[in-house]
Amino acid sequence: MFDKLMSGIRRFTGQKAGEGPPPARVVRQRQPNLFEAAAAYVSACAEDDQRGIEEASGWVSPEALSFGVNELACRAVIALARERDESPRSVARSLLGLPVA
């Protein structure tokens, strides 16, 4: 019974009798998504980390990175506006050093 079970396992794994276990699979590293890339890119820009900027830029396409940075900016302005009890427009203008309209 055990021999039949082992024979079936060997057939399934492509292993021949007398061989050791199959080699371990190579685990591929997970690719960062566009929001992770945007967070890393913006953080690196804020810290003037050129190496970090270049690394994050290579994780996703330029279009995806642009979308992620835009989404991050929108969420940040909304969070600051709520925290300050101001409008997103006045917070955005204030962050850019523009006069409040």
Side-chain angles (χ1 to χ4, degrees), residues 68-85:
V69 169
N70 182 57
E71 187 65 23
L72 177 60
C74 290
R75 291 180 188 196
V77 166
I78 289 169
L80 280 173
R82 287 179 182 159
E83 186 178 292
R84 296 178 182 181
D85 197 28

Side-chain angles (χ1 to χ4, degrees), residues 1-11:
M1 175 79 165
F2 183 73
D3 289 335
K4 281 187 173 186
L5 177 63
M6 288 307 294
S7 174
I9 291 172
R10 281 190 206 98
R11 249 184 290 127

Side-chain angles (χ1 to χ4, degrees), residues 56-99:
S57 295
W59 291 351
V60 294
S61 72
E63 295 82 11
L65 184 60
S66 177
F67 174 80
V69 169
N70 182 57
E71 187 65 23
L72 177 60
C74 290
R75 291 180 188 196
V77 166
I78 289 169
L80 280 173
R82 287 179 182 159
E83 186 178 292
R84 296 178 182 181
D85 197 28
E86 296 178 22
S87 73
R89 177 183 293 245
S90 65
V91 169
R93 293 183 66 83
S94 170
L95 287 172
L96 293 171
L98 300 172

